[in-house]
Amino acid sequence: MKKTATILASLSLALGLAAPLAPAASAFAATTQTQTVKSATVGFKLYKTGTTDASSASRFLPSSATVSGDTLSLTVSKESAAMIKSMTINGVAGISTTNSDSSVTFAFAKAYKAGQGTVSFVVATPMGQMTNSADIVFDATDGAYTASAQYLNASDTTKTSMAGSYLGKNVSVTVTGGKVSAVKLTVSAAGAAVLDKVTMNGVAGTRTNNADKTATYTFAGGAYKEGKGEISFEVSAHAGSAVSAVLVLGSLTPDTSAKTATDTKKTTDTKKATSKKATKKSTKKASKKATKRAPRRLQRSQLRRALRRLQRSQLRRALRRLQRSQLRRALRRLQRSQLRRAPRRLQRRQLRRAPRRLQRRQLKRALRRT
């Protein structure tokens, strides 16, 4: 009975991935490139290829996956692992690892991207292995995103709307809990002076005037829709008359310039308080650094002085030793030269004195004889 159930399940998984030809739709626009996430759990849904009909393969997969850095991983149960032999997501083949409970974890390198993608399976069936595919739609991870915005003429979409010269070329999108929670659109200073009551895809925006005379409109999450939509506004010179244009929003792209997805606009007082705190902190840090540096500087100066003294004393000693050795050498040379000269002088004196003595003696003898 259990074997029959497994066979039926594998057939259901294989047949449930068949691809009808109806158009597809997704809650999020697919990003143009894979995303790197520090660490997060993201939900996903499976649809029959090209439709919004749920795929029967959803029964055999978990409802969420783990994204860590560039790696996307999901774990299937022991029963599902017996049927799914291999899996590929967004063109990346998964590396399978069998866990202690016989479940299998598939890891995919650089495969995660928010929005619609593709998944394919190699399924074991009584008729042999079958390869089928489905659409997989990943939730966006919580954070800040941007999406490009184009504005087209409502009556002729081949032309650009004049509103494009006033409205931002991108919108800021905040995702919270895997869903779009806020959309922000910036209006130029010239546009803020003439445009009012901006509505995006049927969602009215809340206006905030900025210090640089521009204006920011904040919309609820429902304002973000991929592809063509509508944006309408009132012109201050014609109050009560709404003007609309075709709005084309692009896919979500992670906003690396944003600090976090939940950041809110700070007031001027908060900024001042923050700056004061920052000043105090910087002063404290500077004083701590100075306190730490002072002993180091003192030690360095003392070390330099000690080295100088040592060098001087060593130099004086070296000079003294040199002088003593030179003096000793000079004395030795002098003594040697004197010793060599003394016999010569003595011999000369004796030679000079000998004839004189001889003459004296001979003279004395001659005188005695006479």
Side-chain angles (χ1 to χ4, degrees):
M1 186 69 179
K2 185 176 180 180
K3 184 176 181 180
T4 304
T6 303
I7 293 172
L8 291 174
S10 63
L11 286 172
S12 174
L13 175 60
L15 297 175
L17 297 174
L21 299 177
S26 63
F28 291 99
T31 56
T32 57
Q33 58 184 1
T34 57
Q35 296 169 245
T36 298
V37 179
K38 186 175 182 181
S39 182
T41 299
V42 293
F44 64 86
K45 294 180 180 179
L46 293 179
Y47 299 95
K48 293 180 180 179
T49 304
T51 75
T52 56
D53 299 330
S55 171
S56 61
S58 300
R59 295 184 298 165
F60 306 98
L61 297 180
S63 59
S64 63
T66 301
V67 182
S68 180
D70 292 332
T71 303
L72 168 72
S73 60
L74 57 87
T75 302
V76 298
S77 64
K78 175 182 177 181
E79 292 74 19
S80 298
M83 294 175 287
I84 301 174
K85 299 304 178 184
S86 65
M87 190 186 311
T88 301
I89 294 179
N90 293 325
V92 180
I95 300 174
S96 60
T97 302
T98 303
N99 304 315
S100 59
D101 59 353
S102 298
S103 62
V104 175
T105 298
F106 289 92
F108 308 85
K110 297 182 179 180
Y112 169 72
K113 61 181 180 180
Q116 183 173 312
T118 59
V119 58
S120 62
F121 303 85
V122 174
V123 184
T125 71
M127 296 174 289
Q129 291 186 347
M130 296 179 63
T131 302
N132 288 284
S133 61
D135 290 336
I136 186 168
V137 179
F138 283 105
D139 292 339
T141 56
D142 290 358
Y145 296 83
T146 59
S148 60
Q150 292 181 314
Y151 309 94
L152 306 178
N153 191 292
S155 58
D156 186 357
T157 56
T158 61
K159 297 180 180 180
T160 303
S161 173
M162 292 182 63
S165 59
Y166 299 114
L167 304 177
K169 304 300 181 184
N170 296 285
V171 296
S172 299
V173 180
T174 301
V175 176
T176 306
K179 306 295 180 183
V180 175
S181 58
V183 181
K184 290 185 179 182
L185 172 66
T186 300
V187 181
S188 67
V194 296
L195 303 182
D196 195 13
K197 297 182 179 180
V198 179
T199 300
M200 182 185 294
N201 291 323
V203 180
T206 301
R207 175 168 173 157
T208 302
N209 293 321
N210 303 319
D212 58 357
K213 296 184 180 181
T214 62
T216 300
Y217 281 88
T218 304
F219 307 87
Y224 174 74
K225 292 180 182 178
E226 179 197 12
K228 289 184 179 180
E230 182 184 41
I231 187 167
S232 61
F233 45 85
E234 288 187 2
V235 180
S236 56
H238 303 281
S241 60
V243 180
S244 64
V246 175
L247 171 65
V248 181
L249 291 177
S251 60
L252 293 180
T253 302
D255 185 4
T256 55
S257 64
K259 293 181 180 179
T260 63
T262 56
D263 280 347
T264 56
K265 188 179 181 301
K266 296 182 179 180
T267 60
T268 305
D269 294 337
T270 305
K271 288 181 178 179
K272 289 181 180 179
T274 304
S275 63
K276 288 180 180 179
K277 289 181 180 179
T279 304
K280 289 181 180 179
K281 287 181 179 179
S282 61
T283 304
K284 288 181 180 179
K285 288 181 180 179
S287 62
K288 287 180 180 178
K289 288 181 179 179
T291 305
K292 290 180 180 178
R293 289 175 181 174
R296 293 176 184 173
R297 291 176 181 172
L298 181 60
Q299 291 175 352
R300 290 173 184 171
S301 63
Q302 289 177 342
L303 182 60
R304 284 195 294 269
R305 290 175 185 174
L307 288 173
R308 290 173 186 171
R309 290 174 185 171
L310 180 62
Q311 290 173 350
R312 290 173 184 171
S313 63
Q314 288 177 341
L315 182 60
R316 284 195 295 269
R317 290 175 185 174
L319 288 173
R320 289 172 187 172
R321 290 174 184 172
L322 180 62
Q323 290 173 352
R324 289 173 186 171
S325 64
Q326 289 177 345
L327 181 60
R328 284 194 295 269
R329 290 174 184 173
L331 289 173
R332 289 173 186 172
R333 290 174 184 172
L334 180 62
Q335 289 173 351
R336 289 173 185 171
S337 62
Q338 288 177 345
L339 288 174
R340 285 195 299 269
R341 291 174 183 174
R344 294 175 185 173
R345 290 177 183 174
L346 181 61
Q347 289 174 357
R348 290 174 186 171
R349 287 178 185 176
Q350 289 176 346
L351 289 174
R352 284 197 298 270
R353 289 176 182 176
R356 293 176 186 174
R357 289 176 181 174
L358 182 61
Q359 290 175 0
R360 289 174 186 173
R361 287 177 184 176
Q362 290 175 351
L363 182 60
K364 287 179 180 179
R365 288 175 182 175
L367 290 172
R368 288 175 184 173
R369 289 174 184 174
T370 55

